[in-house]
Amino acid sequence: MAYGACPRSRCDRDFTSREVNGGRAFVEFDTAGSPQVLARIGISFVSADNARANAESEQGGRRFEEIRDGTRAAWNDMLGRR
């Protein structure tokens, strides 16, 4: 597990490079061994602690698949409304 662009980001592998510029973060990963990268990210313009709180309140302990499936169901529900 690597911590990088901000202290509250977690990824499943180390960054090969990173750049933080004016509130924007860019990271690169070596995907030669696996093209898929899993990252949990919290965003806050106030503080890193608020970013962690936002990530926890929005993601909790749910896995990626749970978040994806819930989002897809909510989206499809909204599309079905008139």
Side-chain angles (χ1 to χ4, degrees):
M1 191 86 34
Y3 292 83
C6 79
R8 302 301 183 227
S9 297
R10 293 184 300 178
C11 300
D12 65 351
R13 68 189 71 187
D14 292 333
F15 305 142
T16 56
S17 68
R18 71 180 176 123
E19 176 186 344
V20 179
N21 182 356
R24 297 175 295 178
F26 304 90
V27 294
E28 291 182 324
F29 300 93
D30 178 2
T31 57
S34 173
Q36 196 171 47
V37 175
L38 176 63
R40 288 186 170 270
I41 299 171
I43 298 172
S44 172
F45 289 106
V46 177
S47 70
D49 288 334
N50 283 6
R52 179 181 289 269
N54 290 342
E56 183 59 34
S57 70
E58 294 167 3
Q59 301 167 21
R62 296 179 298 161
R63 295 181 345 266
F64 172 80
E65 293 79 11
E66 293 173 288
I67 295 169
R68 179 200 59 210
D69 294 346
T71 302
R72 182 175 290 144
W75 176 255
N76 287 334
D77 183 50
M78 293 300 290
L79 289 176
R81 294 183 183 186
R82 292 185 181 241

